[in-house]
Amino acid sequence: MQTKQPVSVRKRVKSCMNAALSVGLASALLLTSVLLPGNALADSNPAQGEAYAAPANSHDSNFSPATLQFLKSKTGLDGEQWDNIMKLVNKAEQDSLKWTEYYGYCEDIDDDRGYTIGIFGATTGGPNDTGPDGPALFKEYDAVKGAANPSVQGALARIGVNGAMKGSILKINDSEKVFCGKIKGLENDPAWREAMWHTFYNVYIKYSVEQARKRGFNSALTIGSFVDTALNQGAEGDSGSLEGILAKSGSSTDEKTFMTNFYAKRTLVVDTNEYNQPPNGKNRVKQWSSLLNMGETDLKDADAAVKKVTGWTMK
């Protein structure tokens, strides 16, 4: 499993994000989806399937049918649960609940980790990140696009980016404006979105689910809490990583007791080591612990609860 070093979290630049479709087009497509049975619309036009997998007011509409099936089979959680997990993650990453607007996110946040990309902050690598996950994302994109021998270089060629691997680091030779413009152009590419979820799973979600299940825990809140910790502080590694926090959280087989300890231990370090800018880290953990205390462990019918716990202001 690839281990990613933690990324410094701050407010991201969001001005480059635009609505993918006009209201008129959305209305026309929605009308068509009503007239066609099942997922006929998505099946008839894969490029639109990502945005129109389900009615516009459904949690499932934020995922393609393929991604929904992938997440359900790998994690046991459905579209509503993953949509709520991503809202909680994105609030602390981007100060927004509209996480689907960040597939094309790209920025050099001057943390010596290269460029930060997409919905889980994949990095191209640098002095503070010698094991970046950005290369895995690009290689996966090349694979999804049908390459017989997927490679980072193949993916860069597909999107017209000048760059190459220098050891474990992906060195981008284009300017930030050019490179990030290319990434933004992938925002609504179904292959890019699929590659992003596959990489997200391989780097963070898989380990998080394994750690929950080995303790006998299967709730969406626990899995989401572990995923949020892994992408923010690293999955495996030092005492601040998910692995390190778990090691300090005791061995209770009662999920609420264990997770209460887990949140307490994470709170002690979440605003250190450039994981978050204080007090964002403590508020980040409080989102999850508040939902635990509210009894919202399955993250179902939890729209009001999620909105309530994400009402804090990011510094």
Side-chain angles (χ1 to χ4, degrees), residues 179-201:
F179 176 64
C180 287
K182 297 291 186 180
I183 299 301
K184 182 181 182 297
L186 297 172
E187 171 78 24
N188 295 308
D189 181 346
W192 177 249
R193 293 186 172 205
E194 182 179 350
M196 189 159 291
W197 274 105
H198 285 185
T199 309
F200 191 5
Y201 174 78

Side-chain angles (χ1 to χ4, degrees), residues 32-302:
T32 306
S33 68
V34 172
L35 298 175
L36 292 174
N39 285 324
L41 177 61
D43 293 339
S44 65
N45 191 341
Q48 294 168 351
E50 183 76 40
Y52 294 96
N57 63 348
S58 167
H59 291 276
D60 286 1
S61 67
N62 290 314
F63 307 86
S64 72
T67 298
L68 284 174
Q69 182 178 6
F70 174 77
L71 289 172
K72 180 68 174 178
S73 66
K74 295 294 188 180
T75 70
L77 305 183
D78 63 19
E80 180 178 7
Q81 292 166 311
W82 273 108
D83 188 30
N84 284 326
I85 287 171
M86 291 306 298
K87 286 178 181 179
L88 292 160
V89 168
N90 208 64
K91 168 61 186 184
E93 290 285 315
Q94 304 284 5
D95 202 21
S96 170
L97 300 188
K98 298 178 180 179
W99 65 271
T100 58
E101 295 181 356
Y102 293 90
Y103 282 102
Y105 168 73
C106 174
E107 186 181 3
D108 182 350
I109 61 175
D110 298 320
D111 60 353
D112 290 326
R113 292 179 169 91
Y115 289 99
T116 301
I117 300 167
I119 60 172
F120 65 86
T123 59
T124 55
N128 286 342
D129 189 358
T130 57
D133 48 12
L137 172 60
F138 284 105
K139 185 176 181 180
E140 182 66 22
Y141 178 65
D142 200 31
V144 175
K145 293 293 283 186
N149 297 296
S151 67
V152 174
Q153 205 62 44
L156 296 182
R158 287 182 186 277
I159 63 177
V161 167
N162 295 308
M165 294 298 297
K166 300 295 184 182
S168 63
I169 307 300
L170 174 54
K171 176 67 175 178
I172 302 299
N173 298 322
D174 293 324
S175 68
E176 180 173 358
K177 180 179 180 180
V178 170
F179 176 64
C180 287
K182 297 291 186 180
I183 299 301
K184 182 181 182 297
L186 297 172
E187 171 78 24
N188 295 308
D189 181 346
W192 177 249
R193 293 186 172 205
E194 182 179 350
M196 189 159 291
W197 274 105
H198 285 185
T199 309
F200 191 5
Y201 174 78
N202 290 333
V203 178
Y204 297 124
I205 298 173
K206 181 180 179 181
Y207 181 77
S208 299
V209 172
E210 288 173 348
Q211 292 305 306
R213 288 178 175 170
K214 73 182 292 185
R215 291 167 172 80
F217 307 148
N218 296 290
S219 77
L221 188 67
T222 292
I223 291 172
S225 298
F226 288 1
V227 170
D228 183 64
T229 306
L231 71 86
N232 180 213
Q233 299 166 223
E236 298 172 88
D238 61 21
S239 62
S241 67
L242 172 59
E243 180 183 30
I245 300 299
L246 288 170
K248 296 181 288 187
S249 299
S251 57
S252 177
T253 57
D254 178 76
E255 191 165 5
K256 184 171 183 178
T257 299
F258 183 90
M259 291 307 297
T260 298
N261 291 334
F262 176 85
Y263 295 135
K265 296 300 183 183
R266 188 184 178 195
T267 297
L268 295 176
V269 300
V270 72
D271 279 320
T272 67
N273 199 34
E274 294 188 343
Y275 295 138
N276 297 276
Q277 175 179 307
N280 296 335
K282 287 184 174 60
N283 286 325
R284 182 176 196 147
V285 179
K286 189 176 180 180
Q287 295 180 143
W288 303 94
S289 63
S290 294
L291 287 169
L292 177 66
N293 292 331
M294 294 163 68
E296 299 285 358
T297 55
D298 63 358
L299 295 180
K300 301 282 284 185
D301 299 316

Side-chain angles (χ1 to χ4, degrees), residues 1-63:
M1 173 179 173
Q2 186 176 5
T3 302
K4 177 173 180 290
Q5 296 185 16
V7 174
S8 175
V9 180
R10 64 191 72 181
K11 290 186 179 180
R12 314 297 194 189
V13 175
K14 300 192 284 286
S15 60
C16 64
M17 300 299 169
N18 297 310
L21 296 168
S22 67
V23 173
L25 178 58
S27 298
L29 287 168
L30 182 58
L31 176 60
T32 306
S33 68
V34 172
L35 298 175
L36 292 174
N39 285 324
L41 177 61
D43 293 339
S44 65
N45 191 341
Q48 294 168 351
E50 183 76 40
Y52 294 96
N57 63 348
S58 167
H59 291 276
D60 286 1
S61 67
N62 290 314
F63 307 86

